[in-house]
Amino acid sequence: MTDDLFAVAKRCLDCADPAQKVALTFQAWERLLAGELAPSTGASPPEPIGEPGRPPRPRLVHPRQLPQRGLGTEAGRVALVHAVAHIEFNAINLAWDAVYRFRGMPAQFYRDWASVAHDEARHFNLLSVRLAELGHAYGDFDAHNGLWDMTVKTAHSDTARMALVPRVLEARGLDVTPGMIERLTRAGDERTVAALEIILREEVAHVAYGTHWFRWCCERDGLASRATFRALLDEHMRGKLKGPFNTQARREAGFTDEELAELEAGL
């Protein structure tokens, strides 16, 4: 059993079986807490980014090919739970790739993203249990690959990764989850609401890690963080993000009032 955190992160990342990926993630986090894992100074450079380990299903399709289902029906609620489970499964891979790929970072960087991987694995388990209660399993519905696509696009830069994955794509969950919770509450789906409330609360901290490490990278490189974030949005998101925004949650996750005002104004 290796004590190299990079090798363990790669093993978690490459594992294709969801249950095994979760188990490996839990084990890695326990070993890190126990002081049994550390980044190796003599580790080989990271391999070029490719596809992470994942099962043959769900089938990955373009987002436009995914059917729109209302939350007023059980079929719609099941599809929503599956979609969020897919996001959480991808998020395990996102966190482990950050640990594996970006070398020479402070020890806290690796601890933070290993912690995120652990949280996302718990979230995936929560939603897998809920899917089973609803008579389904992960893989029963098609899904899209948007989160991992952005991970690939930012593999060259820790600054871009911290800006665009946690602070853009994952932060979108902060914006849309309260509305989902409200609609599911009206539909009487208290079990799914309970899971989403846990996820929403913990995702604020994940976005906050992204904010912290994005600004750390900017300071390291002598970059102005607001201007750099804006430039990355221009390059990768056509300059703007779609609202409405959960300003309270984003503020808790480290967005400044100036950044929130720019997002609201579509600047």
Side-chain angles (χ1 to χ4, degrees):
M1 184 179 290
T2 180
D3 60 0
D4 175 19
L5 178 61
F6 296 137
V8 169
K10 188 68 163 63
R11 185 182 179 206
C12 293
L13 184 63
D14 288 345
C15 182
D17 178 78
Q20 184 67 8
K21 188 186 290 284
V22 167
L24 288 172
T25 296
F26 289 165
Q27 180 187 65
W29 178 240
E30 290 172 2
R31 293 186 64 206
L32 187 64
L33 287 180
E36 298 174 5
L37 289 178
S40 171
T41 56
S44 300
E47 297 176 7
I49 194 166
E51 290 299 309
R54 56 180 161 220
R57 299 175 62 192
R59 184 173 70 111
L60 299 179
V61 301
H62 192 280
R64 293 194 188 95
Q65 293 179 254
L66 296 174
Q68 299 296 314
R69 298 181 174 94
L71 297 185
T73 67
E74 182 170 323
R77 293 192 291 274
V78 172
L80 171 70
V81 174
H82 187 276
V84 181
H86 180 67
I87 290 170
E88 299 301 319
F89 182 80
N90 265 292
I92 302 170
N93 291 327
L94 300 179
W96 282 127
D97 188 76
V99 172
Y100 171 72
R101 189 154 308 283
F102 301 120
R103 306 295 170 90
M105 300 293 281
Q108 190 63 44
F109 175 89
Y110 301 112
R111 185 183 177 92
D112 285 348
W113 293 108
S115 169
V116 171
H118 176 260
D119 288 349
E120 307 294 17
R122 286 192 297 99
H123 297 170
F124 179 76
N125 270 359
L126 273 175
L127 294 164
S128 295
V129 168
R130 184 63 186 133
L131 276 173
E133 291 171 348
L134 295 167
H136 288 273
Y138 180 58
D140 284 357
F141 300 85
D142 292 344
H144 70 80
N145 205 30
L147 272 175
W148 190 256
D149 288 345
M150 184 61 80
T151 305
V152 172
K153 291 176 182 177
T154 57
H156 66 289
S157 168
D158 50 10
T159 306
R161 174 71 64 82
M162 294 297 106
L164 295 171
V165 174
R167 298 195 87 225
V168 173
L169 298 186
E170 293 188 90
R172 189 65 186 142
L174 305 184
D175 301 330
V176 302
T177 303
M180 293 192 295
I181 288 173
E182 182 179 343
R183 283 178 284 160
L184 288 166
T185 299
R186 290 200 300 266
D189 191 344
E190 296 179 1
R191 295 278 291 166
T192 303
V193 165
L196 291 183
E197 286 177 338
I198 292 170
I199 292 169
L200 176 60
R201 183 169 62 250
E202 296 184 353
E203 292 293 344
V204 172
H206 302 173
V207 178
Y209 290 150
T211 296
H212 171 79
W213 290 109
F214 168 65
R215 291 179 181 152
W216 185 93
C217 290
C218 288
E219 184 175 349
R220 175 197 63 193
D221 298 336
L223 301 172
S225 61
R226 279 177 62 193
T228 301
F229 188 57
R230 173 56 47 197
L232 288 166
L233 288 182
D234 289 343
E235 180 180 355
H236 293 278
M237 308 298 297
R238 300 182 181 179
K240 62 173 63 178
L241 301 179
K242 182 180 178 181
F245 302 105
N246 184 342
T247 55
Q248 178 180 343
R250 283 179 177 261
R251 190 173 284 113
E252 290 173 9
F255 282 76
T256 66
D257 290 340
E258 293 80 8
E259 286 177 318
L260 290 169
E262 288 182 351
L263 291 178
E264 294 283 3
L267 299 177

